[in-house]
Amino acid sequence: MAGIFKIVMKIKLDYPDDFHDYFSYRLVLILTCDRLLRQDKEMREYSMLAILVGLAIGIGLPMQTSINSRLRNSVGSPFGASLISFAVGTLFLAIMTLIDVHTLGFSTKLFTSQPVWIWLGGLLGVVYLTGNILLFPKLGSVQTVIMPVLGQILAGLLIDNFGWFDSPQSTLTMTRFLGAILVLAGVIITVAAQGWLEQRHNRITETAEKDTATDTDTDTDQSGLGIWRALGVVAGMLSAMQTAVNGHLGRVLGSTVHAAFVSFLVGTLGLIVIVLVLRPQFKLIRPTKTPNPWWMWIGGMIGALYVLGNVYLVPVVGTGLAVVIVLVGLMAGSLMIDQFGWFASKKNPISGVQLIGLLVMIVGVVLIRVF
């Protein structure tokens, strides 16, 4: 406060003649500056909390993937596992919504006063989830991660730049674009570089290197890979759109929890339709000849917290930065699962190259956030 007083007292002011109290005029300026500085400090703390939330839900996402993979092994169907996961998440969010706003309903006037797209977040999530299931056998693990990430970053920056889906607008600068490139480079280094280095070290034949560099893990026709890669990018863009749509829905409903519940409910209904059409077989088995772990049923709760976190993030930091922060958390969570073998996953110790990739992503986030 003393620093503000000294600064304001040095300012030369031309005030109206009828404003004869010189020190009162200065005091108004001092109090105004102090209030603005306090608001700026609060916004910085709010943004820091948002970043921590984004990292936390990002770390939780690969945990959900590992848990749902174990559930899939037990029920025998990826769509069945997804439906169970969404149903558990919907029930969890329904309880939280009743505690928060004491109702699961909302005004029917929203159907006429708001655009149709605010209800599509859950369906976009289902399309993204289903897209990953379809992409994996075609592109392999590496490109199934990289292609959607490219789409997420691209769509996130575009949504921020143009303010689509009523998101907070943030002009795309060269520095922010460079930050996005660094984040993508960090993803590629973290996911793919270690495998490429090992291939080179083992002196795999040139033909084998060409086949494995794309990491298809299948005999997929090379001519068709471009289409699948494009579909991967589109799936990632839909994921970023889901983040923006759910963020706007949270503002409309006045509750992040209520918006997350609606999104999950729509996604669950969409999966029910898919299951009714495909009619997959449901059977509960013990793939490892040991009792199924209790934690294989909680993947939906983690997914619910992920959607809830995104609804909270968008109004605070914007869609583009929300996508990038969650992405960094996702990579960090994946590395921890590999390092410690959580949720019955195979242990793959973290390498120095992967840590470098994570550091590159963090630098990219700083460039996007600060500039």
Side-chain angles (χ1 to χ4, degrees), residues 293-304:
W294 62 269
W295 47 257
M296 76 177 191
W297 305 103
I298 67 171
M301 296 175 62
I302 298 177

Side-chain angles (χ1 to χ4, degrees), residues 12-305:
K12 295 182 179 180
L13 298 170
D14 293 326
Y15 48 86
D17 293 337
D18 58 350
F19 197 98
H20 55 275
D21 193 340
Y22 175 83
F23 287 100
S24 296
Y25 192 43
R26 297 282 181 171
L27 182 60
V28 169
L29 284 177
I30 291 172
L31 294 177
T32 300
C33 291
D34 181 62
R35 185 175 71 253
L36 291 175
L37 287 176
R38 289 178 183 273
Q39 290 177 348
D40 181 67
K41 182 180 178 181
E42 291 175 357
M43 286 302 300
R44 289 180 180 273
E45 293 175 351
Y46 199 48
S47 296
M48 182 57 66
L49 176 62
I51 291 175
L52 293 177
V53 169
L55 291 175
I57 62 175
I59 290 173
L61 194 58
M63 296 181 183
Q64 182 202 18
T65 301
S66 298
I67 292 171
N68 285 344
S69 296
R70 181 62 178 79
L71 179 62
R72 173 185 176 179
N73 292 335
S74 294
V75 301
S77 167
F79 293 102
S82 296
L83 178 58
I84 293 173
S85 181
F86 262 79
V88 170
T90 302
L91 179 60
F92 172 69
L93 287 171
I95 296 173
M96 291 185 63
T97 302
L98 288 174
I99 295 174
D100 182 38
V101 297
H102 310 296
T103 181
L104 298 180
F106 47 83
S107 175
T108 56
K109 293 181 180 179
L110 294 178
F111 289 111
T112 56
S113 62
Q114 295 294 326
V116 176
W117 51 258
I118 69 169
W119 312 107
L120 302 182
L123 293 180
L124 293 175
V126 170
V127 173
Y128 173 68
L129 177 66
T130 307
N132 279 341
I133 295 174
L134 297 176
L135 287 174
F136 187 82
K138 301 295 182 179
L139 297 180
S141 58
V142 171
Q143 292 192 54
T144 300
V145 172
I146 293 175
M147 293 300 122
V149 164
L150 176 59
Q152 287 174 337
I153 294 176
L154 176 62
L157 292 177
L158 289 175
I159 290 170
D160 274 358
N161 186 67
F162 296 104
W164 292 341
F165 306 111
D166 288 336
S167 297
Q169 193 168 1
S170 180
T171 303
L172 177 61
T173 63
M174 184 57 66
T175 305
R176 289 170 59 84
F177 180 74
L178 176 61
I181 295 298
L182 286 178
V183 172
L184 180 60
V187 172
I188 295 175
I189 293 172
T190 303
V191 175
Q194 182 64 23
W196 292 339
L197 290 175
E198 289 177 356
Q199 291 170 9
R200 184 175 182 180
H201 177 73
N202 295 331
R203 296 180 180 178
I204 300 176
T205 62
E206 182 178 353
T207 302
E209 286 178 355
K210 284 184 177 180
D211 292 337
T212 56
T214 57
D215 195 31
T216 60
D217 299 328
T218 63
D219 295 329
T220 305
D221 184 3
Q222 295 295 318
S223 62
L225 287 181
I227 297 176
W228 288 106
R229 289 167 182 158
L231 290 176
V233 174
V234 171
M237 296 180 73
L238 293 178
S239 175
M241 291 178 187
Q242 178 198 20
T243 299
V245 168
N246 287 342
H248 179 68
L249 180 61
R251 293 193 297 271
V252 169
L253 295 178
S255 168
T256 56
V257 179
H258 201 176
F261 163 72
V262 172
S263 178
F264 248 73
L265 178 61
V266 173
T268 301
L269 295 176
L271 276 169
I272 290 175
V273 174
I274 293 176
V275 168
L276 290 176
V277 172
L278 299 180
R279 298 183 181 277
Q281 293 183 351
F282 285 89
K283 53 181 180 179
L284 188 61
I285 61 175
R286 295 181 178 181
T288 59
K289 297 182 180 180
T290 58
N292 289 315
W294 62 269
W295 47 257
M296 76 177 191
W297 305 103
I298 67 171
M301 296 175 62
I302 298 177
L305 293 175

Side-chain angles (χ1 to χ4, degrees), residues 291-355:
N292 289 315
W294 62 269
W295 47 257
M296 76 177 191
W297 305 103
I298 67 171
M301 296 175 62
I302 298 177
L305 293 175
Y306 170 76
V307 173
L308 178 60
N310 273 316
V311 175
Y312 164 78
L313 279 176
V314 172
V316 179
V317 299
T319 302
L321 183 58
V323 168
V324 170
I325 293 173
V326 172
L327 177 60
V328 174
L330 186 152
M331 291 292 106
S334 298
L335 293 179
M336 286 192 292
I337 290 176
D338 281 352
Q339 176 69 26
F340 300 107
W342 292 339
F343 306 110
S345 299
K346 182 180 178 181
K347 285 188 177 182
N348 293 306
I350 299 173
S351 67
V353 173
Q354 290 174 316
L355 290 177

